[in-house]
Amino acid sequence: MVDANIILDFFDLLNSHELKYVLIKNDDDVIPYQLQSESDIDFLIHPSDYHRLIDIVVQNGYEKKIGESCKRYFLEQLKDDLLFRKEDCYFHFYEALSCSPLTNMGNCKMALERSVQKYIWENRVWDDKNNWWIMDDVSILLYLIVRSVFDKKNFREKYIREIEKRITYIDNEDFFLLARTVFFGFTPKLVELVKKKEYECILGKYLSYSEY
């Protein structure tokens, strides 16, 4: 296990410098006390703090590593991801919520629509229990579904557990509007399949959907 103090100290560093960040997710609440060694913690950093983050983290003794950009193309002028290490823990930052498109373009990442990014920053939530910033439940729910479809190409059990913790938000108007920027006309069918827990059907039905 990663020493929880390494994780908590890192969040203290971010907070003390008032960096604008959010923790993307915390599956099964393993952060900070049950994170496996050599695991990474995923964040978004606001574009306005991207370069300041690098300076602050490196100046405080964290090692800057090479992230996903060594093996993936970052499209639409998306800045390279940032990966920092302290002992057996990695801290992984992106300037925008992104996904891997289901195309023959090769290994690449592209940002979700600007409206999604804007929503995330306007609705981030301060977690009083842990003293860190997190995405709101609508954003997390969207992220889990997008990641399952585009990046993982299946719905993993831990993702399903996290989706079902937030299943009431599937009918939220904000969720529907954000999901439409990704799934377009398939969005009502997506919502229906998630509510029915037919996760194994979602990717196939999305790929074969033609009623645009």
Side-chain angles (χ1 to χ4, degrees), residues 141-187:
L141 179 60
L142 178 68
Y143 168 78
L144 291 165
I145 294 172
V146 168
R147 183 138 173 87
S148 297
V149 172
F150 292 94
D151 297 328
K152 300 302 182 182
K153 299 180 178 60
N154 70 77
F155 282 76
R156 297 179 175 182
E157 285 300 320
K158 69 176 182 179
Y159 280 29
I160 291 173
R161 287 195 299 271
E162 295 300 320
I163 287 170
E164 294 187 352
K165 285 180 186 177
R166 301 168 177 86
I167 197 63
T168 56
Y169 293 92
I170 200 77
D171 290 320
N172 185 290
E173 182 180 1
D174 285 333
F175 173 82
F176 191 84
L177 292 174
L178 295 175
R180 278 190 68 89
T181 69
V182 182
F183 295 99
F184 305 104
F186 182 70
T187 304

Side-chain angles (χ1 to χ4, degrees), residues 62-73:
Y62 294 81
E63 181 184 5
K64 187 174 183 297
K65 307 291 286 185
I66 297 174
E68 283 190 276
S69 56
C70 68
K71 59 183 178 182
R72 289 188 171 88
Y73 299 101

Side-chain angles (χ1 to χ4, degrees), residues 11 14-25 43-49 52 93 115-128 131-140 174 178:
F11 279 100
L14 299 179
N15 295 332
S16 65
H17 287 85
E18 298 183 344
L19 288 161
K20 193 170 184 180
Y21 74 91
V22 288
L23 177 65
I24 292 180
K25 62 185 179 67
F43 300 84
L44 293 181
I45 184 69
H46 194 276
S48 64
D49 274 345
R52 197 162 72 94
F93 287 83
S115 59
V116 175
Q117 317 298 338
K118 185 172 183 284
Y119 179 91
I120 289 170
W121 293 116
E122 289 180 349
N123 292 276
R124 66 178 180 149
V125 176
W126 177 252
D127 183 337
D128 286 313
N131 292 320
W132 58 47
W133 288 99
I134 60 175
M135 296 199 302
D136 77 313
D137 285 308
V138 167
S139 300
I140 297 174
D174 285 333
L178 295 175

